[in-house]
Amino acid sequence: MPDHLVPSARARAVVHGAYDTHVHVAPDVMARRIDDVDLAHRCAEVGLAGFVLKSHYVATAERAAVVRKVVPDVDVLGAITLNGAMGGINPVAVEVAARQGARIVWMPTVDSGNQRRSTATDLPGATPAMWGAFQSDLHSQGIVPDPVEVVDAEGRVLDRVRQVLRVIARHDVTLATGHLSGAEIAAVVRAAGEEGVRRIVVTHPEFTSQRLTPARQRELAEAGALLERCFTTPHSGKVDWADLFATIRSVGVAHSVLSSDLGQPFNPPVEDGLALFADRLFDAGFTEDEIHVMAVVNSRRLVTPAGTTPV
């Protein structure tokens, strides 16, 4: 018997051709359920077009290029996250990653000033994020990078962040907002528009250290951002499924994009994440067309450069 629920055939079909734009797989500094190459083979078997390798600590475009050579039928894509290990808000690192083919640049996550300052707690019974233990281990050894800030004391976006945004715009890469606060996200999204960034996704807005209200999410959607709905956020108990579905309805299906955020050893297989999400959405009354938009159409918006054809 499988150790997790198995997606329905209907769910597999509705997410066919989607990209999972947020996965955490091996090699990594934490235990992972599967590695890059094996996941690519699994995605080919279930009909996913590709996935984006998310790491809190290293750039992944080089890994992605190797996997594409091994499994050419699946479009494995790299990314970079601007935490302390990457030098924080580091335009050079972003330029190098973009030239190597990275498709998403995440603002700081585990080292963001907001994440470091956050006193918010998970809902009772929620599964804690794996990176928390790794961060604690680093801190116990005195390895504590400075918090990575994106705005000044008056809430103005820092010049160095704007420099990164200009690199993102020039390479037509997607900006993801990481673990910033609601006010920081609004400021960065506004600045991104001013600097010519064309693809913006608000990273799991229901996550514990963010918890953006539907009203705030609607404002960000009106500014041109997609709102990322990660399977793990409700699956791990950080938000109630019913509350998530109500928020999607409030903000609008057209402004939401599904991802899994999977790869943890105790969670379902990564390649099942989008389909399991689809089954939940079906149960909540969402239609095939609505799920297709969130899973397939909008994921391709984030990763497919203008003038190219996705896998």
Side-chain angles (χ1 to χ4, degrees), residues 11-256:
R12 289 276 195 217
V14 80
V15 302
H16 189 277
Y19 283 77
D20 190 341
T21 57
H22 189 155
V23 306
H24 294 278
V25 294
D28 201 352
V29 293
M30 288 161 272
R32 294 304 184 192
R33 186 180 179 101
I34 194 170
D35 66 32
D36 300 348
V37 173
D38 285 347
L39 178 58
H41 285 301
R42 298 272 186 88
C43 287
E45 292 169 3
V46 300
L48 295 179
F51 53 90
V52 179
L53 294 166
K54 169 77 177 290
S55 169
H56 293 295
Y57 301 103
V58 299
T60 60
E62 290 181 343
R63 284 166 53 186
V66 173
V67 180
R68 288 196 303 274
K69 184 173 182 179
V70 176
V71 191
D73 292 336
V74 175
D75 197 16
V76 181
L77 301 170
I80 186 172
T81 306
L82 301 181
N83 287 317
M86 289 287 97
I89 304 300
N90 184 349
V92 175
V94 176
E95 179 71 30
V96 170
R99 291 190 186 203
Q100 291 180 320
R103 294 305 307 154
I104 297 181
V105 176
W106 269 275
M107 285 288 116
T109 57
V110 299
D111 290 328
S112 71
N114 175 61
Q115 185 65 58
R116 294 280 194 88
R117 289 186 292 269
S118 178
T119 58
T121 56
D122 290 338
L123 298 179
T127 304
M130 288 185 70
W131 51 260
F134 182 73
Q135 289 287 101
S136 295
D137 184 47
L138 290 179
H139 289 204
S140 72
Q141 299 177 55
I143 305 173
V144 186
D146 293 336
V148 182
E149 305 291 357
V150 298
V151 298
D152 63 17
E154 285 72 45
R156 295 172 300 202
V157 173
L158 299 173
D159 288 343
R160 198 163 179 83
V161 174
R162 285 188 175 272
Q163 189 175 3
V164 164
L165 295 175
R166 289 193 288 272
V167 175
I168 291 171
R170 188 170 66 254
H171 290 280
D172 194 19
V173 175
T174 292
L175 166 69
T177 57
H179 293 195
L180 305 183
S181 70
E184 290 170 335
I185 292 168
V188 169
V189 168
R190 184 167 54 251
E194 293 166 355
E195 299 296 347
V197 175
R198 294 178 285 285
R199 307 157 192 269
I200 305 170
V201 60
V202 177
T203 309
H204 46 45
E206 291 79 28
F207 192 73
T208 305
S209 59
Q210 293 150 282
R211 290 180 177 158
L212 304 189
T213 65
R216 171 79 82 177
Q217 293 189 39
R218 286 194 297 270
E219 292 172 0
L220 293 166
E222 289 170 5
L226 287 174
L227 287 300
E228 180 189 36
R229 315 301 179 184
C230 290
F231 174 80
T232 58
T233 312
H235 180 76
S236 64
K238 295 178 179 64
V239 66
D240 184 79
W241 281 102
D243 291 340
L244 176 63
F245 298 146
T247 299
I248 293 173
R249 287 295 189 201
S250 176
V251 177
V253 165
H255 305 296
S256 293

